[in-house]
Amino acid sequence: QVQLVESGGGLVQAGGSLRLSCAASGSIFRISDMGWYRQAPGKQRELVAAITSAGITNYGDSAKGRFTISRDNAKKTAYLQMNSLKPEDTAVYYCKGAIATMRAKAYFADYWGQGTQVTVSS
């Protein structure tokens, strides 16, 4: 079993900052890409940021210049530092990891966390 658990969400005023964490646990052999996605009410889930195991990053347009994704491979944890938050950043933020388990070491499957709510007030 593999679990991804997000934390760090909450209520913040516009212009403020939050740092999200995503910790992976379970029978993990290797983690490839990790990413953050978000879904606002009535909208499709969208990519916020992604990072490879080598640290190469990719950002959605809404995150460029304001958010920073990072990871600690030893801790199997990804982070999302969000600065200059806007009300339109309000959404549930989900973590995704491409993970190979101990039982299937050559196969990377996508695992999702349960999500953490981020609310930005104006």
Side-chain angles (χ1 to χ4, degrees):
Q1 281 283 50
V2 172
Q3 279 191 318
L4 295 178
V5 178
E6 302 100 334
S7 61
L11 174 64
V12 64
Q13 287 190 329
S17 298
L18 282 175
R19 188 190 193 213
L20 305 183
S21 298
C22 169
S25 64
S27 184
I28 296 171
F29 174 65
R30 187 169 294 166
I31 304 175
S32 179
D33 297 352
M34 298 186 78
W36 288 96
Y37 294 73
R38 69 185 186 186
Q39 187 165 20
K43 295 188 177 181
Q44 288 189 330
R45 192 172 296 189
E46 65 173 357
L47 171 71
V48 177
I51 185 168
T52 70
S53 57
I56 299 171
T57 59
N58 178 43
Y59 293 93
D61 288 341
S62 63
K64 290 177 181 176
R66 299 187 300 129
F67 296 179
T68 302
I69 189 171
S70 61
R71 65 190 282 173
D72 184 329
N73 291 330
K75 294 182 178 180
K76 299 184 181 66
T77 300
Y79 305 95
L80 184 68
Q81 177 67 43
M82 304 187 293
N83 298 328
S84 302
L85 283 162
K86 306 174 182 179
E88 50 263 44
D89 294 318
T90 296
V92 178
Y93 283 70
Y94 297 91
C95 176
K96 186 180 83 168
I99 298 173
T101 66
M102 296 302 288
R103 294 186 65 180
K105 295 179 181 178
Y107 175 69
F108 287 86
D110 286 341
Y111 291 85
W112 290 87
Q114 296 284 344
T116 185
Q117 177 71 46
V118 171
T119 303
V120 184
S121 63
S122 57

